[in-house]
Amino acid sequence: MSDLLFRILDTPQAPLILQQAQAILNNEHRKRQAFYEWLDEDKKAEFINGEIVVHSPALDRHNSAMLFLATLLSVYVNDRDLGYVRAEKALVELTRNSYEPDVCYFGPAKASQITDDQLYYPAPDFIAEVLSKSTEKNDRETKFADYAAHRVAEYWIIDPLRRTIEQYSIDADTEEYALMGSFGIKETVTSHAITGFTIPVRALFDTAANMGALRNLLTKDVS
């Protein structure tokens, strides 16, 4: 981001560009407040770069993968008192945009600040998005950059069609996401943000594998 800023400041038009940008952002702020007033628990929507994005119902393979991961992660985290897991309807409020990630995790420090009356959540420590045709562009571009900029330590992109998990973490030099690995149906993946959380990829796409992974997580010793 600093490189972009320096390129703007290196032009004679910098004051005008910044003035126009601020005007656009002020208008976005008003639209975002209207979005919050319009949004209710029956709507699945996000506010992205000044626009309301309403999501249509997802395919079963999308819902299944999301639920399988949320179940594994929630049971594991709750069993060890490692923080909070939220799925789908948790509205994460970042600097410019508001998202409803498929699955997100808040470590102990952030979880301690979440109240029973919480409506908008801060940037999580872990986010997983399950790809669909309508969301893939945002998942791989806008959200990809925004989550990294807000220091979401780990990001999983789950492809329910190819049955893969792409795991990203923030590169210390670039401060952007770097691919840690792409894992297929016969492999396992270990979280960097959630201590001891290791699951077979198959557990997100197969009921028997999900139940087996759940039993393993509950009996796993991470001391």
Side-chain angles (χ1 to χ4, degrees), residues 129-150:
E129 297 283 9
V130 182
L131 294 180
S132 64
K133 286 184 178 179
S134 62
T135 66
E136 183 167 6
K137 181 177 175 62
N138 277 331
D139 291 342
R140 291 193 177 280
E141 296 179 11
T142 305
K143 291 183 178 183
F144 189 90
D146 214 1
Y147 292 161
H150 288 83

Side-chain angles (χ1 to χ4, degrees), residues 1-10 18:
M1 179 162 40
S2 59
D3 289 342
L4 176 60
L5 179 60
F6 288 139
R7 288 200 298 272
I8 293 173
L9 293 175
D10 198 35
L18 295 175

Side-chain angles (χ1 to χ4, degrees), residues 8-196:
I8 293 173
L9 293 175
D10 198 35
T11 68
Q13 296 86 4
L16 180 59
I17 293 172
L18 295 175
Q19 183 180 32
Q20 291 174 337
Q22 188 59 59
I24 291 171
L25 291 175
N26 289 342
N27 184 53
E28 279 191 14
H29 177 73
R30 290 189 290 270
K31 292 172 68 176
R32 194 179 191 185
Q33 295 308 306
F35 165 74
Y36 288 150
E37 295 174 6
W38 166 82
L39 189 65
D40 59 42
E41 62 184 14
D42 295 324
K43 298 183 178 76
K44 171 67 174 175
E46 300 175 306
F47 188 83
I48 303 177
N49 293 348
E51 301 296 333
I52 296 175
V53 178
V54 179
H55 296 288
S56 58
L59 296 176
D60 185 68
R61 60 173 172 257
H62 178 286
N63 293 330
S64 177
M66 180 190 68
L67 183 59
F68 278 159
L69 175 59
T71 299
L72 292 173
L73 191 54
S74 183
V75 169
Y76 180 81
V77 166
N78 290 342
D79 186 55
R80 289 162 174 78
D81 195 22
L82 296 176
Y84 290 153
V85 175
R86 297 293 181 260
E88 193 177 25
K89 294 301 290 181
L91 189 66
V92 171
E93 186 180 53
L94 302 186
T95 306
R96 184 181 183 187
N97 298 324
S98 302
Y99 305 111
E100 289 188 343
D102 287 323
V103 181
C104 57
Y105 160 77
F106 302 88
K110 291 182 179 180
S112 67
Q113 303 300 314
I114 294 174
T115 69
D116 291 340
D117 295 326
Q118 196 85 20
L119 186 58
Y120 309 130
Y121 292 81
D125 296 298
F126 167 97
I127 287 178
E129 297 283 9
V130 182
L131 294 180
S132 64
K133 286 184 178 179
S134 62
T135 66
E136 183 167 6
K137 181 177 175 62
N138 277 331
D139 291 342
R140 291 193 177 280
E141 296 179 11
T142 305
K143 291 183 178 183
F144 189 90
D146 214 1
Y147 292 161
H150 288 83
R151 311 302 294 175
V152 177
E154 185 172 356
Y155 181 36
W156 286 11
I157 295 179
I158 300 167
D159 188 331
L161 191 59
R162 295 178 175 81
R163 296 187 171 190
T164 59
I165 298 173
E166 296 170 27
Q167 180 187 37
Y168 297 90
S169 64
I170 297 175
D171 182 272
D173 294 326
T174 66
E175 298 185 347
E176 297 175 350
Y177 280 134
L179 180 66
M180 304 303 293
S182 182
F183 303 92
I185 195 70
K186 296 181 179 180
E187 298 176 288
T188 61
V189 57
T190 299
S191 172
H192 298 291
I194 307 158
T195 303

